[in-house]
Amino acid sequence: GAVVSQHPSWVICKSGTSVKIECRSLDFQATTMFWYRQFPKQSLMLMATSNEGSKATYEQGVEKDKFLINHASLTLSTLTVTSAHPEDSSFYICSAQRGPGAAGELFFGEGSRLTVL
Amino acid sequence: GEDVEQSLFLSVREGDSSVINCTYTDSSSTYLYWYKQEPGAGLQLLTYIFSNMDMKQDQRLTVLLNKKDKHLSLRIADTQTGDSAIYFCAVASGTYKYIFGTGTRLKVLA
């Protein structure tokens, strides 16, 4: 099956620093990638939809200046958590869509666990 | 808004069948998915069904869709300890937006 790689798998940072998480589709081109946040024992919360070459579409309640998303190429999207604080600690998962519309399959990255001290 | 609900926990004995249920509210959902999440990992697509189908079988997995009741289920035959994980159902309509359920934690007892 298709492979989506996230990096880093986990990161610990100090409060106030910025952290960048990469999401790559390794064997297909993804015009659309999604970023999710998952709190312990909860479902995935969609943060934003990232389309190659255009601005990301953020879900209600997600601060776009806090969570910067860049989809520079058809195989790479990045999420930067700016000025991270302990409440930003979470498991962040990306997914890449292969194929258009709702028929497209979603392939998920392994997730990145962020801990902000 | 759209909502997808699942029961939180399910416990079964090894070798038994597991049935995980999911209800959704968006009647325009066209694709319905089941994902598996193992501890500390991302999601793995298990299977999916189109809304014009009522059943799909894939080896040990059987998906049943009752579109009238907006009810989706995943049956795992001969459940093994390796099946212990969280199972998420997700629905998608004509847009790119996927709505995920709360996840069902399946525990398989030896």
Side-chain angles (χ1 to χ4, degrees), chain A residues 20-113:
Chain A
K20 181 187 282 188
I21 301 169
E22 293 186 347
C23 178
R24 293 181 185 273
S25 56
L26 297 184
D27 54 358
F28 68 98
Q29 293 184 330
T31 53
T32 304
M33 290 185 173
F34 303 87
W35 286 96
Y36 301 85
R37 183 173 180 177
Q38 186 180 34
F39 293 100
K41 298 183 181 179
Q42 293 189 30
S43 187
L44 287 79
M45 181 191 80
L46 178 64
M47 298 174 67
T49 302
S50 168
N51 291 295
E52 187 265 339
S54 63
K55 289 184 179 179
T57 303
Y58 289 82
E59 294 299 302
Q60 193 173 8
V62 178
E63 298 175 61
K64 60 181 180 182
D65 295 330
K66 172 77 168 173
F67 299 100
L68 298 178
I69 291 172
N70 184 278
H71 195 152
S73 75
L74 288 171
T75 58
L76 174 64
S77 176
T78 59
L79 167 69
T80 301
V81 183
T82 62
S83 187
H85 290 284
E87 58 266 28
D88 298 324
S89 298
S90 192
F91 193 53
Y92 293 88
I93 302 177
C94 74
S95 67
Q97 179 154 338
R98 184 175 71 180
E105 290 180 76
L106 277 189
F107 295 92
F108 286 81
E110 309 95 327
S112 300
R113 185 167 299 283

Side-chain angles (χ1 to χ4, degrees), chain B residues 35-61:
Chain B
Y35 289 89
K36 177 182 180 181
Q37 184 181 36
E38 298 192 22
L43 276 71
Q44 172 196 359
L45 176 65
L46 288 177
T47 186
Y48 64 94
I49 190 169
F50 303 142
S51 61
N52 62 357
M53 300 167 64
D54 50 24
M55 188 183 89
K56 180 179 180 182
Q57 188 155 0
D58 185 359
Q59 299 182 334
R60 291 192 298 126
L61 305 178

